[in-house]
Short mmCIF file of all heavy atoms in Angstrom, two decimals:
data_model
loop_
_atom_site.label_atom_id
_atom_site.label_comp_id
_atom_site.label_asym_id
_atom_site.label_seq_id
_atom_site.Cartn_x
_atom_site.Cartn_y
_atom_site.Cartn_z
N MET B 115 -13.15 -27.93 8.29
CA MET B 115 -13.73 -27.25 9.43
C MET B 115 -15.21 -26.96 9.18
O MET B 115 -16.08 -27.20 10.00
CB MET B 115 -12.99 -25.94 9.68
CG MET B 115 -13.40 -25.27 10.96
SD MET B 115 -12.41 -23.79 11.26
CE MET B 115 -10.90 -24.53 11.90
N ALA B 116 -15.51 -26.48 7.98
CA ALA B 116 -16.90 -26.10 7.67
C ALA B 116 -17.83 -27.32 7.69
O ALA B 116 -18.99 -27.22 8.09
CB ALA B 116 -16.96 -25.44 6.31
N ASP B 117 -17.28 -28.49 7.31
CA ASP B 117 -18.13 -29.70 7.28
C ASP B 117 -18.67 -30.05 8.66
O ASP B 117 -19.79 -30.49 8.81
CB ASP B 117 -17.30 -30.89 6.77
CG ASP B 117 -16.85 -30.66 5.34
OD1 ASP B 117 -17.52 -29.85 4.66
OD2 ASP B 117 -15.83 -31.25 4.94
N ALA B 118 -17.82 -29.83 9.66
CA ALA B 118 -18.17 -30.28 11.01
C ALA B 118 -18.92 -29.20 11.79
O ALA B 118 -19.11 -29.33 12.98
CB ALA B 118 -16.90 -30.67 11.75
N PHE B 119 -19.30 -28.15 11.11
CA PHE B 119 -19.84 -27.00 11.83
C PHE B 119 -21.20 -27.30 12.46
O PHE B 119 -22.16 -27.68 11.76
CB PHE B 119 -19.96 -25.80 10.91
CG PHE B 119 -20.24 -24.52 11.64
CD1 PHE B 119 -19.20 -23.74 12.12
CD2 PHE B 119 -21.55 -24.09 11.88
CE1 PHE B 119 -19.44 -22.56 12.80
CE2 PHE B 119 -21.80 -22.91 12.56
CZ PHE B 119 -20.73 -22.14 13.02
N VAL B 120 -21.28 -27.13 13.77
CA VAL B 120 -22.57 -27.26 14.48
C VAL B 120 -22.98 -25.86 14.89
O VAL B 120 -22.21 -25.16 15.54
CB VAL B 120 -22.42 -28.15 15.74
CG1 VAL B 120 -23.75 -28.22 16.48
CG2 VAL B 120 -21.90 -29.51 15.36
N PRO B 121 -24.19 -25.41 14.50
CA PRO B 121 -24.60 -24.05 14.87
C PRO B 121 -24.53 -23.86 16.39
O PRO B 121 -24.82 -24.78 17.16
CB PRO B 121 -26.05 -23.96 14.38
CG PRO B 121 -26.16 -25.02 13.33
CD PRO B 121 -25.21 -26.11 13.71
N TYR B 122 -24.15 -22.67 16.80
CA TYR B 122 -23.93 -22.42 18.22
C TYR B 122 -25.21 -22.54 19.05
O TYR B 122 -25.18 -22.92 20.20
CB TYR B 122 -23.23 -21.08 18.43
CG TYR B 122 -21.75 -21.19 18.15
CD1 TYR B 122 -21.26 -21.13 16.84
CD2 TYR B 122 -20.85 -21.42 19.18
CE1 TYR B 122 -19.92 -21.29 16.57
CE2 TYR B 122 -19.49 -21.58 18.93
CZ TYR B 122 -19.03 -21.52 17.61
OH TYR B 122 -17.69 -21.68 17.36
N ASN B 123 -26.34 -22.23 18.42
CA ASN B 123 -27.58 -22.34 19.20
C ASN B 123 -27.99 -23.80 19.42
O ASN B 123 -28.89 -24.10 20.18
CB ASN B 123 -28.72 -21.53 18.58
CG ASN B 123 -29.03 -21.99 17.16
OD1 ASN B 123 -28.62 -23.08 16.74
ND2 ASN B 123 -29.74 -21.17 16.40
N LYS B 124 -27.28 -24.73 18.76
CA LYS B 124 -27.52 -26.17 18.98
C LYS B 124 -26.49 -26.75 19.96
O LYS B 124 -26.48 -27.94 20.21
CB LYS B 124 -27.43 -26.94 17.65
CG LYS B 124 -28.47 -26.52 16.62
CD LYS B 124 -29.68 -27.43 16.70
CE LYS B 124 -30.94 -26.91 16.03
NZ LYS B 124 -30.82 -26.11 14.84
N ARG B 125 -25.59 -25.94 20.43
CA ARG B 125 -24.54 -26.44 21.32
C ARG B 125 -24.94 -26.19 22.78
O ARG B 125 -25.13 -25.04 23.17
CB ARG B 125 -23.20 -25.74 21.03
CG ARG B 125 -22.74 -25.95 19.59
CD ARG B 125 -21.38 -25.33 19.37
NE ARG B 125 -21.06 -25.29 17.95
CZ ARG B 125 -19.83 -25.14 17.46
NH1 ARG B 125 -18.81 -25.01 18.27
NH2 ARG B 125 -19.63 -25.11 16.16
N PRO B 126 -25.01 -27.26 23.56
CA PRO B 126 -25.49 -27.10 24.94
C PRO B 126 -24.67 -26.09 25.75
O PRO B 126 -25.22 -25.33 26.55
CB PRO B 126 -25.36 -28.51 25.53
CG PRO B 126 -24.69 -29.36 24.52
CD PRO B 126 -24.69 -28.65 23.22
N GLU B 127 -23.35 -26.06 25.51
CA GLU B 127 -22.52 -25.20 26.37
C GLU B 127 -22.73 -23.71 26.07
O GLU B 127 -22.19 -22.85 26.77
CB GLU B 127 -21.04 -25.58 26.25
CG GLU B 127 -20.36 -25.24 24.94
CD GLU B 127 -20.54 -26.32 23.85
OE1 GLU B 127 -21.51 -27.10 23.92
OE2 GLU B 127 -19.72 -26.36 22.92
N TRP B 128 -23.51 -23.38 25.05
CA TRP B 128 -23.73 -21.97 24.69
C TRP B 128 -25.17 -21.51 25.01
O TRP B 128 -25.56 -20.41 24.64
CB TRP B 128 -23.43 -21.74 23.21
CG TRP B 128 -21.96 -21.77 22.91
CD1 TRP B 128 -21.22 -22.86 22.58
CD2 TRP B 128 -21.04 -20.67 22.94
NE1 TRP B 128 -19.90 -22.53 22.40
CE2 TRP B 128 -19.76 -21.17 22.60
CE3 TRP B 128 -21.17 -19.30 23.22
CZ2 TRP B 128 -18.63 -20.36 22.54
CZ3 TRP B 128 -20.04 -18.50 23.14
CH2 TRP B 128 -18.78 -19.02 22.81
N GLN B 129 -25.95 -22.37 25.68
CA GLN B 129 -27.37 -22.05 25.86
C GLN B 129 -27.62 -20.83 26.73
O GLN B 129 -28.66 -20.19 26.63
CB GLN B 129 -28.11 -23.27 26.45
CG GLN B 129 -28.23 -24.45 25.48
CD GLN B 129 -28.80 -24.05 24.11
OE1 GLN B 129 -29.84 -23.43 24.02
NE2 GLN B 129 -28.09 -24.41 23.04
N ASP B 130 -26.63 -20.47 27.57
CA ASP B 130 -26.86 -19.31 28.44
C ASP B 130 -26.65 -17.98 27.72
O ASP B 130 -26.88 -16.92 28.28
CB ASP B 130 -25.89 -19.39 29.63
CG ASP B 130 -24.44 -19.39 29.17
OD1 ASP B 130 -24.12 -20.17 28.23
OD2 ASP B 130 -23.63 -18.61 29.71
N ILE B 131 -26.19 -18.03 26.47
CA ILE B 131 -25.86 -16.79 25.75
C ILE B 131 -26.97 -16.41 24.78
O ILE B 131 -27.47 -17.25 24.03
CB ILE B 131 -24.54 -16.96 24.96
CG1 ILE B 131 -23.36 -17.24 25.91
CG2 ILE B 131 -24.25 -15.76 24.08
CD1 ILE B 131 -22.97 -16.06 26.77
N THR B 132 -27.36 -15.16 24.81
CA THR B 132 -28.30 -14.65 23.81
C THR B 132 -27.49 -14.04 22.68
O THR B 132 -26.77 -13.05 22.89
CB THR B 132 -29.20 -13.55 24.41
OG1 THR B 132 -29.75 -14.06 25.63
CG2 THR B 132 -30.29 -13.15 23.45
N PRO B 133 -27.55 -14.62 21.49
CA PRO B 133 -26.74 -14.09 20.38
C PRO B 133 -27.17 -12.67 20.01
O PRO B 133 -28.34 -12.32 20.16
CB PRO B 133 -27.01 -15.07 19.23
CG PRO B 133 -28.28 -15.77 19.60
CD PRO B 133 -28.37 -15.76 21.08
#
Side-chain angles (χ1 to χ4, degrees):
Chain B
M115 189 176 281
D117 297 337
F119 192 88
V120 178
Y122 281 82
N123 59 16
K124 298 265 164 33
R125 301 184 192 199
E127 71 275 23
W128 287 89
Q129 291 309 308
D130 60 313
I131 297 291
T132 309

